[in-house]
């Protein structure tokens, strides 16, 4: 009797009804090749289990135990400043500078934020954080497809947000520790998130997923805002030509 | 499922009252969730990220837990969906950061058990996602076809054909054992 591959597989997985199972077993007694097909399936299962079962015995990472216990979990909190659209009234420059400094470390943000706003890459207006200076120019003018590799601001992904606005991710090369995402609204680039860009990995451990160039916090915000797919080079140039108006 | 509404409301109340119980069950599930995630992602750090996201989602959606389905099935489903979300996001990013590092493996693969783990994970990583999930649920987690199909939200016939193709491909990549 001839059994299909799926029947042999289901037998090896213990998924057959009693009658079919008996038929396979009867046939196996006479058919070494059939027995071998079953053995092959079982060996594969054994091999997979032998490779992955040791994971069961690993000590549980503390962060997982903490998340089960429901300790307040702030993913990326250590590296991200979420820039709330509706900042509290009186959210003034020194406050925001102090908060930012406490979140990412004064050494990193200080030179950018605490300097006189005119010279910095960021300014605040009406409680929002806006790009200024070279960052604002790059966001308005630079195309990811043709930017010089040495440019101080590197544009990453450009895309339409769900509310229709154009948004772009960037990395400040000069301060290679900062990356962010800004959206165009009311003739300005409003920052949605600013994050510490992890140092390029020393080729040390394990795998680096493709796309790891964006810090997790920025990537996370991108995923939350994006509608559809990012702009390709043609759509990016067209959006620039329209002045990033929706 | 006509009574679903009532069931879910009750479940929400029960879970609220016994959220401690849910947390304890989650702790006992963690080792299996980590193994499943490791089979899906190949990378230990990504796998734990996935488990953490799944735990957080589970705790915020405890009200959706169906009393008639085991917690493990629900959790495997959440882990897998979190992974699909991540793959979609990566695909999007990868197209724009094309020259970014691809998932080349660095590191020392010379130790026996570890080397075999890497070989198996590499082989799993080369499977199409839906075959990998089928293999991980049935062959590694030891679930029935029915449970695996439920988790993957596909008919059993779809599950078995994905499983058969995944198995065939793995046997080819790993050689006879």
């Amino acid at each position: 009797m001839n059994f299909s591959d799926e029947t042999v597989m289901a037998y090896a997985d213990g998924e057959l009804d009693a009658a079919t199972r008996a038929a396979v077993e009867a046939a196996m007694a006479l058919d070494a090749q059939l027995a071998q097909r079953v053995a092959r399936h079982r060996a594969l299962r054994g091999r997979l289990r032998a490779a992955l079962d040791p994971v069961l015995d690993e000590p549980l990472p503390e962060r997982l135990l903490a998340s089960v216990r429901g300790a307040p979990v702030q993913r990326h909190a250590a590296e991200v400043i979420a820039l709330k659209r509706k900042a509290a009234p009186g959210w003034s420059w020194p406050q925001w500078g102090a908060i930012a400094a406490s979140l990412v470390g004064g050494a990193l943000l200080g030179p950018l934020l605490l300097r006189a706003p005119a010279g910095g890459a960021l300014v605040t207006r009406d409680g929002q954080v806006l790009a200024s200076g070279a960052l604002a120019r790059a966001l308005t003018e630079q195309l990811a497809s043709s930017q010089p590799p040495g440019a101080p601001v590197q544009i990453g992904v450009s895309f339409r947000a769900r509310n229709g606005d154009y948004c772009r991710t960037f990395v400040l090369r000069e301060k290679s520790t900062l990356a962010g995402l800004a959206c165009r609204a009311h003739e300005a680039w409003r920052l949605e998130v600013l994050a510490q860009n992890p140092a390029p990995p020393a080729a040390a451990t394990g795998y680096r997923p493709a796309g790891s160039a964006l810090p997790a916090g920025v990537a996370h915000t991108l995923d939350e805002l994006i509608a559809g797919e990012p702009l390709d080079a043609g759509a990016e140039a067209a959006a620039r030509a329209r002045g990033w108006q929706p | 499922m006509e009574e679903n509404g009532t069931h879910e409301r009750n479940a929400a109340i029960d879970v609220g009252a016994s959220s401690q119980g849910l947390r304890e069950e989650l702790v006992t599930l963690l080792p299996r969730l980590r193994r499943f995630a490791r089979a899906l992602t190949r990378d230990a750090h990504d796998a734990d990220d996935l488990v953490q996201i799944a735990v957080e989602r589970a705790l915020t959606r405890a009200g959706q837990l169906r009393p008639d389905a085991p917690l493990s099935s629900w959790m495997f489903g959440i882990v897998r969906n979190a992974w699909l979300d991540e793959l979609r996001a990566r695909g999007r990013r990868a197209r724009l950061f094309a020259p970014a590092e691809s998932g080349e493996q660095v590191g020392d693969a010379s130790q026996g058990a570890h080397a075999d783990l890497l070989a198996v994970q590499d082989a799993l990583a080369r499977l199409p996602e839906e075959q990998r999930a089928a293999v991980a649920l049935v062959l590694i987690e030891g679930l029935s076809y029915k449970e695996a199909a439920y988790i993957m939200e596909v008919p059993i016939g779809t599950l078995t054909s994905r499983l058969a193709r995944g198995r065939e491909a793995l046997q080819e990549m790993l050689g006879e054992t």
Side-chain angles (χ1 to χ4, degrees):
Chain A
M1 186 166 176
N2 248 337
F3 293 101
S4 71
D5 282 341
E6 292 213 355
T7 303
V8 175
M9 176 182 94
Y11 173 76
D13 292 339
E15 291 275 345
L16 290 182
D17 60 79
T20 322
R21 188 166 64 233
V24 172
E25 279 167 1
M28 272 168 62
L30 304 168
D31 181 348
Q33 213 186 342
L34 176 61
Q36 210 179 352
R37 285 163 72 196
V38 171
R40 221 169 144 239
H41 282 310
R42 291 193 166 140
L44 179 66
R45 183 192 283 262
R47 174 119 190 240
L48 296 177
R49 291 291 295 262
L52 281 149
D53 279 358
V55 176
L56 296 177
D57 299 323
E58 291 174 6
L60 291 170
E62 188 50 42
R63 64 177 172 125
L64 292 187
L65 291 168
S67 68
V68 173
R69 284 188 212 111
V73 184
Q74 288 286 326
R75 290 180 62 73
H76 319 307
E79 60 169 14
V80 176
I81 313 161
L83 303 165
K84 298 275 182 285
R85 278 169 209 219
K86 292 181 197 119
W91 178 245
S92 70
W93 179 252
Q95 275 176 317
W96 137 234
I99 290 165
S102 71
L103 278 175
V104 235
L108 299 172
L109 273 189
L112 266 169
L113 297 180
L114 303 178
R115 190 189 295 164
L122 306 173
V123 296
T124 51
R125 189 198 302 160
D126 300 335
Q128 295 186 334
V129 181
L130 305 177
S132 104
L135 175 60
R137 279 195 300 280
L139 285 167
T140 302
E141 292 161 17
Q142 212 163 294
L143 294 178
S145 47
S146 62
Q147 60 195 344
V153 178
Q154 290 289 312
I155 300 294
V157 185
S158 302
F159 63 94
R160 292 291 287 265
R162 293 190 182 134
N163 66 3
D165 289 348
Y166 282 102
C167 304
R168 314 187 83 191
T169 68
F170 61 87
V171 176
L172 291 169
R173 286 285 283 267
E174 209 177 339
K175 320 274 172 205
S176 64
T177 45
L178 285 179
L181 191 160
C183 295
R184 184 75 177 174
H186 307 297
E187 306 284 299
W189 289 100
R190 182 189 61 230
L191 264 81
E192 299 290 336
V193 67
L194 188 65
Q196 192 173 345
N197 201 20
T205 48
Y207 307 89
R208 298 295 308 173
S212 60
L214 272 186
V218 177
H220 182 72
T221 304
L222 187 160
D223 291 337
E224 278 183 351
L225 292 179
I226 193 167
E229 295 289 314
L231 307 183
D232 59 21
E236 186 193 30
R240 179 181 69 171
R242 281 198 306 277
W244 306 100
Q245 297 301 312
Chain B
M1 293 297 138
E2 305 87 283
E3 294 181 348
N4 216 10
T6 326
H7 267 296
E8 289 196 1
R9 267 196 300 282
N10 288 342
I13 293 163
D14 291 345
V15 167
S18 64
S19 114
Q20 195 48 41
L22 173 64
R23 289 174 201 275
E24 278 163 23
E25 277 189 79
L26 281 174
V27 170
T28 62
L29 265 180
L30 280 179
R32 288 185 69 198
L33 296 177
R34 293 182 76 231
R35 177 176 63 181
F36 178 54
R38 200 79 68 89
L40 293 185
T41 71
R42 176 169 75 163
D43 175 79
H45 193 264
D46 287 353
D48 281 340
D49 277 355
L50 215 52
V51 174
Q52 185 172 345
I53 291 168
V55 165
E56 287 162 13
R57 285 189 187 172
L59 288 173
T60 56
R61 298 177 194 170
Q64 297 166 18
L65 178 54
R66 287 173 43 181
D68 57 337
L71 180 67
S72 56
S73 296
W74 191 57
M75 288 306 298
F76 284 132
I78 296 179
V79 169
R80 172 155 194 266
N81 285 331
W83 176 234
L84 292 178
D85 291 347
E86 172 64 17
L87 285 180
R88 275 190 285 270
R90 276 187 195 177
R92 202 155 55 211
R93 276 174 245 148
R95 280 196 295 286
L96 280 122
F97 290 90
E101 321 87 308
S102 60
E104 286 310 308
Q105 173 237 319
V106 226
D108 181 13
S110 61
Q111 298 139 353
H114 191 56
D116 198 51
L117 173 61
L118 288 180
V120 165
Q121 286 187 315
D122 275 351
L124 283 169
R126 268 181 249 138
L127 294 182
E129 203 291 322
E130 74 268 9
Q131 293 177 23
R132 181 168 54 236
V135 165
L137 289 170
V138 174
L139 298 187
I140 298 172
E141 295 308 322
L143 301 186
S144 68
Y145 291 178
K146 195 175 154 197
E147 287 170 299
Y150 170 83
I151 290 166
M152 293 178 66
E153 299 173 27
V154 295
I156 287 202
T158 308
L159 182 272
T160 53
S161 76
R162 288 174 179 179
L163 182 62
R165 278 179 284 139
R167 234 173 177 139
E168 199 53 47
L170 282 176
Q171 258 152 357
E172 227 156 80
M173 286 187 266
L174 292 170
E176 300 298 321
T177 36

